[in-house]
Amino acid sequence: MSSLKGKRALILGLANDRSIAWGIAQALHAQGAKLAFNYLGESLERRVRPLAESVGAEIIEACDVTQDDQVAAIFGKVEEKWGGLDILIHSVAFASKDDLHGRFVDTSRDGFKLALDISAYSLVATSREASKLMPETGGTIITLTYYGSEKVIPGYGVMGVAKAALESSVRYLAHDLGTQKIRVHAISAGPIKTLAAAGGISNFRDILSQIEEKAPLHENVSPEDVGELAAFLCQDGARHMTGNLLYVDSGFNIMGS
Ligand code: NAD
Ligand code: IMJ
């Protein structure tokens, strides 16, 4: 299968081989896409670089999405090396641990700003940069979200609010960028044990068990499952889809109890 042959994809949010970004990278690579990655800080570089090299990455650059100069720099590298971009994968989220444990009502102004900046505004800033590099034939932008944007998941707190802003941003971006044939989507994934999910969530096992018990398909999802949908959304077969929220959650979101 090489339906993405020669397509140029920038993947933001690879941390290790459990990352959802890794499942997406493998699926895009399998379909013939060329890949570029960012990493956050030197400690993650040591994990990211060998993984990225194993799928033939042509660009591996530091990029903290809160820093405008670093965002400009990585898109500058993409322009310099490839002269354009077809696919942007945004798989980035962060909130202060304090705001994931306590009550949402106690979220500080700074904690709220940080979560919304990294987890939602970064999609706007990177989509703007990506759109400047996408060809007249268009492109695809995909971000990752979670059901805690729609319903209260205790402990998800300010991240739920950030994901609601992210999902709404997808619709406004789809409207603006549709004139350039750029399609924008959010994939709402079920719980997956990644670095971002393991990071201090005491009842994560219960959350996974709940999917096995209650979701229509009674099975947890993997980064590879998410990757396959992402690859489909980047193909020509999805050219008339944009602004969507698509679930890879074994159907959990349709349940009323
Ligand atoms: P992960 O920890 O592997 O990925 C999160 C990434 O965000 C990391 O690579 C980290 O370096 C990056 N990041 C954080 N702050 C950043 C910053 N300032 N600049 C640049 N990068 C930064 O975990 P994951 O579960 O693969 O998360 C990827 C996405 O999937 C997130 O948006 C997350 O909300 C979403 N998601 C995760 C789950 C889950 O259960 N794991 C479910 C649904 C959605
Ligand atoms: C995260 C926190 C609380 C409950 C959670 C999660 N559930 C799931 C997640 C039920 C599935 C994972 N998720 C969907 C996320 O978006 C995670 C975001 C995140 C995780 C951390 C952990 C470490 C840290 N800050 C974080 N910021 C965002 O310091």
Side-chain angles (χ1 to χ4, degrees):
M1 274 271 285
S2 54
S3 22
L4 297 175
K5 196 167 172 44
K7 296 278 184 206
R8 302 154 295 185
L10 171 60
I11 299 180
L12 301 176
L14 180 62
N16 58 36
D17 63 359
R18 291 178 152 206
S19 293
I20 293 176
W22 184 237
I24 297 175
Q26 288 176 295
L28 299 186
H29 175 64
Q31 297 197 9
K34 300 201 276 185
L35 306 180
F37 295 88
N38 82 317
Y39 57 85
L40 179 68
E42 275 174 27
S43 59
L44 283 179
E45 181 182 8
R46 265 178 277 132
R47 286 192 182 277
V48 168
R49 198 167 278 282
L51 278 177
E53 283 170 354
S54 76
V55 287
E58 298 185 10
I59 300 164
I60 307 167
E61 286 293 318
C63 178
D64 177 338
V65 296
T66 63
Q67 305 300 313
D68 289 337
D69 54 339
Q70 293 185 30
V71 171
I74 194 166
F75 283 93
K77 283 275 175 192
V78 168
E79 184 173 24
E80 189 185 305
K81 179 97 186 160
W82 287 340
L85 184 69
D86 303 294
I87 296 165
L88 172 66
I89 305 295
H90 175 278
S91 188
V92 172
F94 188 80
S96 160
K97 251 191 191 139
D98 297 346
D99 296 320
L100 295 174
H101 291 308
R103 302 189 309 163
F104 173 68
V105 69
D106 294 326
T107 308
S108 66
R109 191 183 297 272
D110 282 348
F112 192 96
K113 276 189 191 165
L114 182 74
L116 273 282
D117 186 17
I118 297 179
S119 315
Y121 180 73
S122 64
L123 177 71
V124 183
T126 56
S127 295
R128 182 166 60 245
E129 293 302 319
S131 70
K132 295 178 198 162
L133 299 183
M134 286 184 170
E136 277 185 7
T137 47
T140 309
I141 298 173
I142 296 172
T143 189
L144 275 302
T145 188
Y146 179 59
Y147 188 57
S149 62
E150 299 174 56
K151 300 287 177 191
V152 173
I153 309 286
Y156 201 57
V158 72
M159 271 309 306
V161 174
K163 291 299 192 190
L166 180 77
E167 290 167 21
S168 186
S169 300
V170 163
R171 293 184 282 272
Y172 281 91
L173 289 168
H175 174 250
D176 285 350
L177 302 180
T179 53
Q180 287 173 248
K181 294 197 171 81
I182 297 169
R183 304 180 285 104
V184 191
H185 298 291
I187 298 178
S188 187
I192 303 175
K193 199 159 190 282
T194 62
L195 200 59
I201 308 159
S202 51
N203 61 341
F204 201 70
R205 261 211 225 144
D206 298 341
I207 288 165
L208 292 174
S209 306
Q210 209 186 18
I211 301 292
E212 286 179 356
E213 280 161 28
K214 297 187 179 154
L217 297 174
H218 300 286
E219 225 172 43
N220 276 290
V221 308
S222 68
E224 289 72 25
D225 295 328
V226 177
E228 295 207 12
L229 175 61
F232 165 72
L233 291 172
C234 296
Q235 291 172 11
D236 283 351
R239 69 189 166 279
H240 288 132
M241 295 174 68
T242 194
N244 292 311
L245 174 61
L246 301 108
Y247 296 90
V248 178
D249 68 345
S250 291
F252 184 76
N253 74 93
I254 69 166
M255 300 305 293
S257 73

